[in-house]
Amino acid sequence: MHRSLKKALFAAASATAAIALTSGAVAFCGFYVAKADTKLFNKASKVAIMRDNDRTVITMANDYQGDLKEFAMVIPVPVVLQEEQIHVTDNAIIDHLDAYTAPRLVEYFDGDPCTVYRKEALQMAAPTAVMEDGVAEGERDSLGVTIEAEYTVGEYDIQILSAEQSGGLAQWLVENGYKLPDGAEATLGSYIKQGTKFFVAKVNLEEQAETGLKYLRPLQIAFESPKFQLPIRLGTVNADGKQELFVFGLTRSGRIETTNYRTVKLPTGMDIPLYVKDEFGSFYKSMFDEQVEKENGRAVFMEYAWNMNWCDPCAADPLSSQELRELGVYWLDNDGAGIQPRRPGPQAQDVYVTRLHVSYDAQTFPEDLVLKETGDKSNFQGRYVLRHPYKGDTTCEAAEDYRANLPKRFEKEAQTLANLTGWNIDDIREKMNEGAQSFDPPKSEPWWKRIWGDDDSNG
């Protein structure tokens, strides 16, 4: 099984624990106009994890760029997997899940201040709003490495290995054509001490050619384990700088969080300047980087947590029952029943999705992500608001007060944007002025001029 090909060494997952139930919640009315999806980040990997008690299904999509014959992936797994526990799926499902949970930009238009005397309290799913929802035996060689099983699944050739010591495993991988990065042996050793098996996948070029695809499809594994964790350490060994990881948890009773790192909600619900509509991607990336820095690079950020059956506003339609079953949500019917398209009110379902985002390297995240399901079914989304001023010619005292307060409101939006992103406040103000969000208060007329208007009897 010795091959001369050099292969990159990747890393990914294994896991434990959860239960879930879900239901709906209140909402607000707005218009979804943009979203920040994972394409904003380089070196972004996406992992969907279905968790129900000890049952786990992990779907892994990575952004591998390069010659497919150079690709290989090594994943710590808790057990020796049978062939039926390994599967490949369509990228479109992960892309759909990504789009559905992506942070979003919404916009509102102020009404006529002369007819709207009450400010509508937009009680959407703010971060504090709680809305209850609705083996085959292999050969053992002198290196202490055992090939427990071998399969070809989709376009991947897969081996399940066990090892007695890291040096033997490292040598075995090298002898079989895999190129290990510096530091890999020590990391492998820590997994071996835990009794972990190793899932090694490389591309079968003939099978890949038959797919007609130019990319690699996500790999899926299903297993049972009391541990609920996502190995990330192997991925840091040969990383060129920080990596972006998006974790989509699918459970029955509530959101997932990390237990060995802080899980922090992203800032949300803020009013920001209108010009951000044309550069939302840049805004979101700067905002996220700023939050990572504020947490010293050691936090996991929650970007979305919601019942899967509905959304408000929706960045994309909820996933269908078929799509969710493909991702491992085995308790749903496969007849299309259950998950419904967008509907005006809360429609609770028995699937809860959590989107976590982590920017990590070996220094800031030296341990694998240990996860838990909290049972918390409150809804949360990263949401940013554009609020368009009223532009009509209406005249009344309320309208004058409204216009007089606009510069103060604009300044608050500028300060908010600067605090969120670290952008220069003067640059923000200049762009707002260019975009007709002026900081100069309009000239106001004395109140008595409105008493008689154009009456000819005025003095």
Side-chain angles (χ1 to χ4, degrees), residues 427-458:
D427 293 342
I428 293 172
R429 290 176 181 135
E430 183 177 348
K431 283 192 173 185
M432 292 178 73
N433 270 316
E434 292 172 353
Q437 278 193 288
S438 172
F439 290 91
D440 295 327
K443 294 181 180 178
S444 61
E445 292 184 332
W447 64 270
W448 58 84
K449 287 193 175 182
R450 295 197 298 269
I451 298 177
W452 298 291
D454 298 327
D455 191 332
D456 293 339
S457 63
N458 287 345

Short mmCIF file of all heavy atoms in Angstrom, two decimals, residues 427-458:
data_model
loop_
_atom_site.label_atom_id
_atom_site.label_comp_id
_atom_site.label_asym_id
_atom_site.label_seq_id
_atom_site.Cartn_x
_atom_site.Cartn_y
_atom_site.Cartn_z
N ASP A 427 -13.76 58.60 8.51
CA ASP A 427 -14.07 58.00 7.20
C ASP A 427 -15.53 57.59 7.13
O ASP A 427 -16.19 57.72 6.10
CB ASP A 427 -13.17 56.78 6.97
CG ASP A 427 -11.71 57.14 6.81
OD1 ASP A 427 -11.42 58.32 6.54
OD2 ASP A 427 -10.85 56.24 6.97
N ILE A 428 -16.03 57.08 8.24
CA ILE A 428 -17.44 56.67 8.27
C ILE A 428 -18.35 57.88 8.08
O ILE A 428 -19.30 57.85 7.28
CB ILE A 428 -17.75 55.97 9.62
CG1 ILE A 428 -17.01 54.63 9.69
CG2 ILE A 428 -19.26 55.77 9.80
CD1 ILE A 428 -17.09 53.95 11.05
N ARG A 429 -18.04 58.96 8.81
CA ARG A 429 -18.89 60.17 8.68
C ARG A 429 -18.85 60.71 7.26
O ARG A 429 -19.89 61.15 6.71
CB ARG A 429 -18.40 61.24 9.66
CG ARG A 429 -18.67 60.90 11.13
CD ARG A 429 -18.08 61.95 12.03
NE ARG A 429 -18.30 61.67 13.44
CZ ARG A 429 -17.35 61.79 14.37
NH1 ARG A 429 -16.13 62.20 14.04
NH2 ARG A 429 -17.62 61.52 15.63
N GLU A 430 -17.68 60.68 6.63
CA GLU A 430 -17.56 61.20 5.27
C GLU A 430 -18.42 60.37 4.31
O GLU A 430 -19.12 60.92 3.46
CB GLU A 430 -16.10 61.17 4.83
CG GLU A 430 -15.85 61.77 3.44
CD GLU A 430 -14.38 61.77 3.07
OE1 GLU A 430 -13.55 61.54 3.97
OE2 GLU A 430 -14.08 62.01 1.88
N LYS A 431 -18.36 59.07 4.46
CA LYS A 431 -19.17 58.21 3.58
C LYS A 431 -20.65 58.43 3.83
O LYS A 431 -21.47 58.38 2.91
CB LYS A 431 -18.81 56.74 3.81
CG LYS A 431 -17.50 56.32 3.15
CD LYS A 431 -17.37 54.80 3.17
CE LYS A 431 -16.15 54.36 2.38
NZ LYS A 431 -16.05 52.88 2.28
N MET A 432 -21.02 58.66 5.07
CA MET A 432 -22.43 58.90 5.37
C MET A 432 -22.90 60.22 4.74
O MET A 432 -23.99 60.30 4.19
CB MET A 432 -22.65 58.91 6.89
CG MET A 432 -22.45 57.55 7.53
SD MET A 432 -22.64 57.56 9.33
CE MET A 432 -24.42 57.76 9.49
N ASN A 433 -22.06 61.24 4.82
CA ASN A 433 -22.41 62.51 4.20
C ASN A 433 -22.58 62.35 2.69
O ASN A 433 -23.51 62.88 2.09
CB ASN A 433 -21.33 63.56 4.49
CG ASN A 433 -21.61 64.32 5.77
OD1 ASN A 433 -22.75 64.74 6.01
ND2 ASN A 433 -20.60 64.50 6.60
N GLU A 434 -21.66 61.58 2.09
CA GLU A 434 -21.76 61.35 0.64
C GLU A 434 -23.01 60.56 0.30
O GLU A 434 -23.52 60.67 -0.81
CB GLU A 434 -20.52 60.58 0.16
CG GLU A 434 -19.23 61.39 0.23
CD GLU A 434 -18.00 60.54 -0.05
OE1 GLU A 434 -18.16 59.30 -0.18
OE2 GLU A 434 -16.90 61.10 -0.16
N GLY A 435 -23.49 59.79 1.25
CA GLY A 435 -24.68 58.98 1.02
C GLY A 435 -25.95 59.64 1.50
O GLY A 435 -26.95 58.96 1.77
N ALA A 436 -25.94 60.97 1.67
CA ALA A 436 -27.13 61.74 2.05
C ALA A 436 -27.55 61.49 3.49
O ALA A 436 -28.72 61.69 3.84
CB ALA A 436 -28.29 61.47 1.09
N GLN A 437 -26.63 61.01 4.31
CA GLN A 437 -26.92 60.95 5.75
C GLN A 437 -26.13 62.09 6.39
O GLN A 437 -25.08 61.90 7.00
CB GLN A 437 -26.49 59.60 6.32
CG GLN A 437 -27.52 58.51 6.11
CD GLN A 437 -27.26 57.28 6.94
OE1 GLN A 437 -26.32 56.53 6.65
NE2 GLN A 437 -28.06 57.06 7.96
N SER A 438 -26.66 63.30 6.24
CA SER A 438 -25.96 64.50 6.67
C SER A 438 -26.02 64.68 8.18
O SER A 438 -27.01 64.34 8.83
CB SER A 438 -26.56 65.72 5.99
OG SER A 438 -26.01 66.89 6.52
N PHE A 439 -24.94 65.25 8.71
CA PHE A 439 -24.89 65.53 10.15
C PHE A 439 -25.31 66.97 10.46
O PHE A 439 -25.33 67.37 11.62
CB PHE A 439 -23.48 65.27 10.69
CG PHE A 439 -23.13 63.82 10.69
CD1 PHE A 439 -22.52 63.24 9.60
CD2 PHE A 439 -23.45 63.02 11.78
CE1 PHE A 439 -22.20 61.90 9.60
CE2 PHE A 439 -23.15 61.67 11.78
CZ PHE A 439 -22.52 61.10 10.68
N ASP A 440 -25.59 67.76 9.40
CA ASP A 440 -26.03 69.13 9.63
C ASP A 440 -27.53 69.14 9.92
O ASP A 440 -28.33 68.71 9.07
CB ASP A 440 -25.73 69.99 8.40
CG ASP A 440 -24.24 70.11 8.16
OD1 ASP A 440 -23.48 70.12 9.15
OD2 ASP A 440 -23.84 70.15 6.98
N PRO A 441 -27.93 69.64 11.06
CA PRO A 441 -29.38 69.66 11.37
C PRO A 441 -30.10 70.63 10.43
O PRO A 441 -29.57 71.69 10.09
CB PRO A 441 -29.42 70.13 12.82
CG PRO A 441 -28.15 70.87 13.02
CD PRO A 441 -27.12 70.22 12.14
N PRO A 442 -31.29 70.30 9.97
CA PRO A 442 -32.05 71.21 9.10
C PRO A 442 -32.47 72.45 9.88
O PRO A 442 -32.62 72.41 11.10
CB PRO A 442 -33.25 70.37 8.69
CG PRO A 442 -33.41 69.38 9.81
CD PRO A 442 -32.03 69.07 10.28
N LYS A 443 -32.65 73.56 9.16
CA LYS A 443 -33.09 74.78 9.81
C LYS A 443 -34.55 74.61 10.21
O LYS A 443 -35.37 74.15 9.45
CB LYS A 443 -32.95 75.96 8.86
CG LYS A 443 -31.51 76.29 8.51
CD LYS A 443 -31.42 77.49 7.58
CE LYS A 443 -29.96 77.80 7.25
NZ LYS A 443 -29.85 78.94 6.30
N SER A 444 -34.81 74.99 11.42
CA SER A 444 -36.19 74.88 11.90
C SER A 444 -36.84 76.25 11.99
O SER A 444 -36.17 77.25 12.23
CB SER A 444 -36.21 74.21 13.28
OG SER A 444 -35.48 74.99 14.21
N GLU A 445 -38.12 76.29 11.77
CA GLU A 445 -38.87 77.54 11.85
C GLU A 445 -39.48 77.69 13.24
O GLU A 445 -39.79 76.69 13.90
CB GLU A 445 -40.00 77.53 10.81
CG GLU A 445 -39.50 77.58 9.38
CD GLU A 445 -40.66 77.65 8.41
OE1 GLU A 445 -41.75 77.14 8.77
OE2 GLU A 445 -40.50 78.23 7.33
N PRO A 446 -39.63 78.92 13.69
CA PRO A 446 -40.30 79.14 14.99
C PRO A 446 -41.69 78.53 14.97
O PRO A 446 -42.37 78.53 13.95
CB PRO A 446 -40.37 80.66 15.10
CG PRO A 446 -39.29 81.15 14.21
CD PRO A 446 -39.21 80.17 13.07
N TRP A 447 -42.11 78.08 16.10
CA TRP A 447 -43.37 77.36 16.19
C TRP A 447 -44.57 78.20 15.77
O TRP A 447 -45.54 77.71 15.22
CB TRP A 447 -43.59 76.84 17.60
CG TRP A 447 -43.71 77.94 18.65
CD1 TRP A 447 -42.72 78.49 19.34
CD2 TRP A 447 -44.91 78.61 19.03
NE1 TRP A 447 -43.18 79.47 20.18
CE2 TRP A 447 -44.54 79.56 20.01
CE3 TRP A 447 -46.26 78.51 18.67
CZ2 TRP A 447 -45.46 80.41 20.61
CZ3 TRP A 447 -47.18 79.35 19.28
CH2 TRP A 447 -46.78 80.29 20.24
N TRP A 448 -44.47 79.52 16.01
CA TRP A 448 -45.64 80.35 15.73
C TRP A 448 -45.89 80.52 14.23
O TRP A 448 -46.98 80.86 13.82
CB TRP A 448 -45.48 81.73 16.39
CG TRP A 448 -44.25 82.50 15.94
CD1 TRP A 448 -44.13 83.28 14.83
CD2 TRP A 448 -42.99 82.54 16.60
NE1 TRP A 448 -42.88 83.82 14.75
CE2 TRP A 448 -42.16 83.38 15.83
CE3 TRP A 448 -42.49 81.98 17.77
CZ2 TRP A 448 -40.83 83.66 16.20
CZ3 TRP A 448 -41.19 82.27 18.11
CH2 TRP A 448 -40.36 83.08 17.33
N LYS A 449 -44.85 80.22 13.38
CA LYS A 449 -45.07 80.36 11.95
C LYS A 449 -46.02 79.29 11.41
O LYS A 449 -46.50 79.39 10.31
CB LYS A 449 -43.74 80.28 11.21
CG LYS A 449 -42.89 81.54 11.37
CD LYS A 449 -41.74 81.57 10.37
CE LYS A 449 -40.98 82.89 10.45
NZ LYS A 449 -39.90 82.95 9.45
N ARG A 450 -46.22 78.28 12.25
CA ARG A 450 -47.11 77.23 11.79
C ARG A 450 -48.57 77.47 12.20
O ARG A 450 -49.45 76.71 11.85
CB ARG A 450 -46.66 75.87 12.35
CG ARG A 450 -45.32 75.41 11.85
CD ARG A 450 -45.14 73.92 12.10
NE ARG A 450 -45.19 73.60 13.53
CZ ARG A 450 -44.12 73.56 14.33
NH1 ARG A 450 -42.91 73.81 13.82
NH2 ARG A 450 -44.23 73.29 15.60
N ILE A 451 -48.80 78.59 12.94
CA ILE A 451 -50.15 78.80 13.46
C ILE A 451 -51.10 79.25 12.36
O ILE A 451 -52.17 78.69 12.15
CB ILE A 451 -50.12 79.86 14.59
CG1 ILE A 451 -49.24 79.36 15.75
CG2 ILE A 451 -51.55 80.13 15.07
CD1 ILE A 451 -49.11 80.37 16.87
N TRP A 452 -50.63 80.28 11.58
CA TRP A 452 -51.56 80.84 10.59
C TRP A 452 -51.12 80.56 9.15
O TRP A 452 -51.81 80.93 8.22
CB TRP A 452 -51.67 82.35 10.81
CG TRP A 452 -52.22 82.66 12.19
CD1 TRP A 452 -53.50 82.42 12.59
CD2 TRP A 452 -51.52 83.17 13.30
NE1 TRP A 452 -53.66 82.78 13.91
CE2 TRP A 452 -52.44 83.26 14.39
CE3 TRP A 452 -50.23 83.62 13.55
CZ2 TRP A 452 -52.12 83.73 15.63
CZ3 TRP A 452 -49.91 84.09 14.79
CH2 TRP A 452 -50.83 84.13 15.82
N GLY A 453 -49.95 79.96 8.99
CA GLY A 453 -49.52 79.57 7.64
C GLY A 453 -49.48 80.76 6.71
O GLY A 453 -48.89 81.79 7.00
N ASP A 454 -50.17 80.62 5.54
CA ASP A 454 -50.15 81.66 4.51
C ASP A 454 -51.33 82.62 4.61
O ASP A 454 -51.75 83.25 3.64
CB ASP A 454 -50.14 81.03 3.12
CG ASP A 454 -48.90 80.19 2.90
OD1 ASP A 454 -47.84 80.56 3.45
OD2 ASP A 454 -48.99 79.18 2.17
N ASP A 455 -51.89 82.69 5.78
CA ASP A 455 -53.05 83.58 5.97
C ASP A 455 -52.67 85.01 5.60
O ASP A 455 -51.68 85.56 6.08
CB ASP A 455 -53.46 83.51 7.45
CG ASP A 455 -54.80 84.20 7.68
OD1 ASP A 455 -55.13 85.13 6.93
OD2 ASP A 455 -55.50 83.78 8.62
N ASP A 456 -53.49 85.64 4.69
CA ASP A 456 -53.19 87.00 4.22
C ASP A 456 -53.26 88.03 5.33
O ASP A 456 -52.79 89.16 5.19
CB ASP A 456 -54.16 87.39 3.10
CG ASP A 456 -53.91 86.56 1.86
OD1 ASP A 456 -52.78 86.00 1.73
OD2 ASP A 456 -54.84 86.44 1.04
N SER A 457 -53.91 87.66 6.41
CA SER A 457 -54.06 88.64 7.49
C SER A 457 -52.83 88.73 8.36
O SER A 457 -52.82 89.47 9.33
CB SER A 457 -55.28 88.27 8.35
OG SER A 457 -55.09 87.02 8.97
N ASN A 458 -51.77 87.91 8.01
CA ASN A 458 -50.55 88.02 8.80
C ASN A 458 -49.99 89.42 8.72
O ASN A 458 -50.06 90.08 7.70
CB ASN A 458 -49.48 87.04 8.28
CG ASN A 458 -49.84 85.62 8.67
OD1 ASN A 458 -50.70 85.40 9.52
ND2 ASN A 458 -49.21 84.69 8.00
#
